[in-house]
């Protein structure tokens, strides 16, 4: 239980509503700014305006999945108020307050370091990233289906990267009957891919493997689908870039060659906000409980 823990939420989308619900259910004292247009707020949450006073009482501050941008702007889907996390807000937070977000930009990281605030980026955690990979793969399938004239079943699909998202993506494609190639750089990933029944290759040999790909799903966060690679990709291929912006594809050259390449960020929040919210909520409650326990609270 989170009895006695004062949690302040600043902005967010439908995912954050699930997180708020869970924290209220766990008996935390919950305030939320950036939810003035939430149609049916749950009982037990105090809807507030963003202010220095609000933050000065927080044991825990929860920001949206992408905390804030490099000017401190916080996206708040259910608000008419413009939310910004500024220096004065960081100053107002008590020293023991922990700041939680999905992933932080440099701005937020710097502010937290400067004011000695503990910052937790939940998407860094393997468990959260693995659970999140499920709605991500489902969202990628939606995009693939909407943008092709052929079935995934029987297609030659390629997944680049075999981390938390790549693994789930490859298994999901396999489940639909695609022939799956996986681009990796480590021998242990090569071996695991082979054991899974996929066709592994080393990404240093990517050029040789793209000419017959119908679908390419990139999860490598770095430029990998270069102009040279694109020059070998068939025109009917669809590239879905799942890696965080700016992605790993030369989109300018893809467009020039007439190859459809789609950067697809934030899929869990788009295709399954409820599930994505529950994933975040469970992780957050666990983390706060552990921290409260460790502090002897
Ligand atoms: P991850 O577990 O770190 O996986 C990334 C993988 O890329 C790692 O296995 C890494 O291999 C591999 N890699 C990097 N450079 C490579 C190269 N040159 N050749 C072969 N493999 C290479 O990260 P993740 O959680 O799967 O996330 C991947 C990306 O997707 C991130 O940018 C993340 O932000 C994004 N993401 C997007 C969505 C969305 O909705 N679009 C959802 C979730 C995540 P090593 O193990 O060898 O380092």
């Amino acid at each position: 239980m989170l009895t006695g823990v004062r949690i302040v939420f600043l902005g967010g989308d439908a995912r954050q509503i699930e997180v708020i619900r869970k924290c209220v259910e766990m008996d935390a004292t919950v305030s939320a700014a950036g939810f003035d247009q939430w149609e049916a707020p749950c009982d037990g949450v105090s809807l507030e305006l963003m202010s220095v006073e609000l933050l000065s009482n927080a044991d825990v501050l929860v920001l949206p999945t992408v905390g804030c941008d490099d000017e401190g702007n916080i996206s708040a889907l259910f608000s008419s108020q413009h939310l910004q996390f500024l220096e004065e807000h960081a100053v107002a937070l008590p020293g023991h307050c922990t700041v939680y977000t999905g992933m932080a930009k440099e701005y937020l990281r710097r502010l937290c370091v400067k004011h000695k605030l503990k910052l937790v980026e939940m998407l860094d955690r393997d468990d959260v990233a693995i659970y999140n990979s499920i709605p991500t793969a489902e969202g990628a399938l939606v995009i693939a289906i909407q943008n092709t004239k052929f079935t995934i079943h029987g297609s030659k699909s390629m997944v680049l990267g075999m981390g938390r998202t790549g693994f789930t993506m490859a298994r999901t494609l396999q489940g639909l009957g695609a022939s799956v190639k996986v681009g990796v750089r480590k021998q242990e990933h090569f071996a695991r891919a082979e054991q899974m029944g996929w066709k592994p290759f080393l990404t240093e040999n990517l050029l040789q493997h793209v000419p017959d790909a119908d679908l390419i799903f990139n999860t490598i966060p770095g430029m990998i689908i270069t102009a040279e690679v694109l020059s070998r990709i068939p025109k009917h291929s669809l590239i879905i870039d799942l890696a965080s912006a700016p992605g790993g594809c030369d989109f300018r050259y893809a467009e020039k060659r007439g190859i459809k390449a789609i950067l697809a960020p934030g899929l869990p929040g788009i295709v399954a906000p409820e599930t994505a919210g529950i994933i975040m909520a469970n992780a957050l409650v666990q983390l706060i409980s552990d921290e409260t326990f460790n502090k002897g609270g």
Side-chain angles (χ1 to χ4, degrees):
M1 297 300 284
L2 302 180
T3 309
V5 182
R6 289 162 304 184
I7 307 180
V8 173
F9 285 83
L10 293 184
D13 53 22
R15 285 173 283 188
Q16 213 67 325
I17 286 183
E18 294 303 322
V19 186
I20 291 174
R21 274 191 221 287
K22 178 84 180 182
C23 291
V24 169
E25 202 181 294
M26 298 301 289
D27 200 30
T29 304
V30 179
S31 310
F35 289 91
D36 48 288
Q37 293 182 345
W38 180 1
E39 275 179 14
C42 64
D43 289 339
V45 56
S46 165
L47 299 187
E48 309 276 353
L49 289 176
M50 166 79 163
S51 69
V52 163
E53 293 72 43
L54 175 67
L55 298 184
S56 65
N57 277 320
D59 298 316
V60 169
L61 174 66
V62 187
L63 297 171
T65 306
V66 177
C68 56
D69 69 12
D70 284 325
E71 272 84 49
N73 298 305
I74 299 173
S75 102
L77 198 69
F78 300 102
S79 181
S80 52
Q81 197 193 1
H82 174 226
L83 259 59
Q84 221 178 354
F85 186 69
L86 301 171
E87 183 108 27
E88 68 205 65
H89 300 117
V91 171
L93 289 169
H96 69 272
C97 178
T98 303
V99 180
Y100 289 91
T101 183
M103 59 180 145
K105 299 244 185 204
E106 207 36 50
Y107 170 88
L108 182 60
R109 288 197 191 126
R110 249 189 289 117
L111 221 49
C112 288
V113 169
K114 184 171 174 193
H115 297 283
K116 299 188 172 61
L117 293 163
K118 184 174 171 193
L119 173 67
V120 179
E121 294 183 57
M122 290 194 286
L123 286 173
D124 271 352
R125 291 171 55 94
D126 273 344
D127 56 348
V128 175
I130 290 168
Y131 283 127
N132 236 352
S133 71
I134 302 165
T136 304
E138 288 189 14
L141 290 184
V142 171
I143 296 174
I145 290 165
Q146 285 172 340
N147 287 280
T148 50
K149 292 185 184 148
F150 50 85
T151 56
I152 292 173
H153 178 99
S155 70
K156 292 196 171 69
S157 291
M158 175 180 284
V159 178
L160 297 174
M162 211 183 102
R164 297 156 308 184
T165 308
F167 192 97
T168 305
M169 192 70 242
R171 209 180 71 89
T172 306
L173 291 163
Q174 181 183 36
L176 282 176
S179 159
V180 184
K181 271 190 182 181
V182 180
V184 300
R185 64 177 171 186
K186 284 187 181 143
Q187 287 303 334
E188 62 263 37
H189 286 166
F190 196 101
R192 176 62 71 201
E194 199 147 37
Q195 178 270 330
M196 289 296 296
W198 309 328
K199 297 181 184 103
F201 65 93
L202 294 175
T203 43
E204 64 193 39
N205 301 322
L206 180 58
L207 279 177
Q208 298 158 29
H209 291 272
V210 288
D212 66 348
D214 300 315
L215 291 165
I216 300 177
F217 298 85
N218 177 50
T219 73
I220 295 175
M223 179 50 67
I224 182 91
I225 308 175
T226 57
E228 193 183 7
V229 172
L230 284 160
S231 70
R232 305 264 187 111
I233 292 178
K235 289 249 164 71
H236 76 272
S237 296
L238 172 67
I239 299 167
I240 300 177
D241 198 344
L242 298 171
S244 294
C249 174
D250 184 338
F251 289 98
R252 184 202 60 83
Y253 190 70
E255 192 178 352
K256 193 170 175 191
R257 265 214 81 210
I259 295 171
K260 203 175 220 179
I262 301 170
L263 183 64
L267 289 174
I270 297 168
V271 299
E274 197 175 306
T275 306
I278 291 168
I279 293 167
M280 287 301 204
N282 290 340
L284 181 72
V285 167
Q286 185 64 53
L287 286 163
I288 298 174
S289 306
D290 290 351
E291 201 172 341
T292 310
F293 180 78
N294 289 336
K295 282 179 184 162

